[in-house]
Amino acid sequence: PCSNGLVAPDCETPKMNPSIEPLSWMLGTWLSEPPGDGIYPTLQPFHYLEEVHITHVGQPMLNFSFNAFHPDTKKPMHRECGFIRLKPDSNKVAFVSAQNTGIVEVEEGEVNGQELCIASHSIARISFAAEPRVEQIMRKFRLNAEGRLEQTVSMATTTQPMTQHLHITYKKV
Ligand code: HEM
């Protein structure tokens, strides 16, 4: 398949840049199974489906997109895409994401084995973003013993301290 961004016939499958090896366990197409759990003190608990694409094009970074859907109607919900970079010769990670809700954020943290823990370093938002505004975000990704990817997201808003918002397990497809 053409995965370097060029259209055929110029495409070629790029070799993985060795510097992203510590994050290679995240690569792939992943589908929520079971549906994800959404919670927050201000919200009714909800479920969601999510399709995740984590790829590379030979550069020293991962490219990602997370696309959430309503579990019953299958209507698109939250979407975000961006990049995950590693500081050379370290386990320091930077995560850059643009979200369809009008948030653009940078998170930083560390990868240790098959676990990535990151927290927001800066968050920008559109001027007419809905209230309450998110003030801090923390995420944990890990590959569990069954070879499934898990993501947990916590956030602090203008009305709530740091509290879990999402937990989801994905199966590789
Ligand atoms: C609500 C942030 C990802 C579904 C909210 C709220 C915030 C927020 C600030 C309002 C909370 C309140 O009213 O007190 C975020 C951030 C995310 C994220 C920063 C990613 C880092 C997701 C994902 C889904 C989702 C992946 C999956 C469908 C919802 C729903 C609500 C909500 C259904 C309640 C209704 C609504 O406000 O649209 N989120 N969210 N969120 N979020 Fe998220």
Side-chain angles (χ1 to χ4, degrees):
C2 192
S3 53
N4 67 351
L6 286 172
V7 288
D10 295 326
C11 69
E12 59 182 55
T13 302
K15 264 211 194 70
M16 187 177 83
N17 192 297
S19 68
I20 61 168
E21 205 284 323
L23 294 170
S24 59
W25 51 273
M26 301 184 79
L27 287 166
T29 299
W30 304 88
L31 209 52
S32 51
E33 191 179 297
D37 291 313
I39 52 170
Y40 209 60
T42 51
L43 303 178
Q44 285 290 110
F46 62 91
H47 296 292
Y48 65 103
L49 307 178
E50 197 164 53
E51 185 176 314
V52 176
H53 299 275
I54 305 179
T55 62
H56 73 84
V57 289
Q59 295 176 317
M61 68 195 74
L62 303 184
N63 310 321
F64 68 79
S65 67
F66 290 88
N67 306 302
F69 299 86
H70 192 279
D72 304 324
T73 64
K74 310 289 192 290
K75 281 202 173 139
M77 295 175 73
H78 185 270
R79 298 173 80 85
E80 61 181 309
C81 60
F83 307 94
I84 307 176
R85 301 181 58 102
L86 262 164
K87 185 177 176 189
D89 307 314
S90 81
N91 67 341
K92 303 259 175 296
V93 173
F95 175 103
V96 181
S97 174
Q99 306 187 15
N100 64 347
T101 49
I103 291 172
V104 177
E105 49 137 348
V106 175
E107 296 182 36
E108 293 192 9
E110 289 184 357
V111 59
N112 289 297
Q114 294 176 334
E115 182 168 291
L116 170 62
C117 292
I118 49 178
S120 55
H121 177 250
S122 54
I123 302 178
R125 57 180 73 67
I126 59 175
S127 61
F128 50 92
E131 297 287 338
R133 303 162 91 191
V134 59
E135 295 203 308
Q136 280 176 288
I137 303 171
M138 289 176 69
R139 304 192 200 223
K140 185 155 100 179
F141 293 94
R142 70 178 193 115
L143 195 68
N144 71 19
E146 291 82 51
R148 302 212 171 180
L149 185 66
E150 290 182 35
Q151 179 178 197
T152 308
V153 178
S154 300
M155 65 180 176
T157 67
T158 39
T159 71
Q160 301 296 321
M162 185 58 78
T163 311
Q164 187 171 318
H165 181 35
L166 308 164
H167 177 73
I168 190 164
T169 303
Y170 311 96
K171 193 181 175 181
K172 201 167 210 167
V173 292

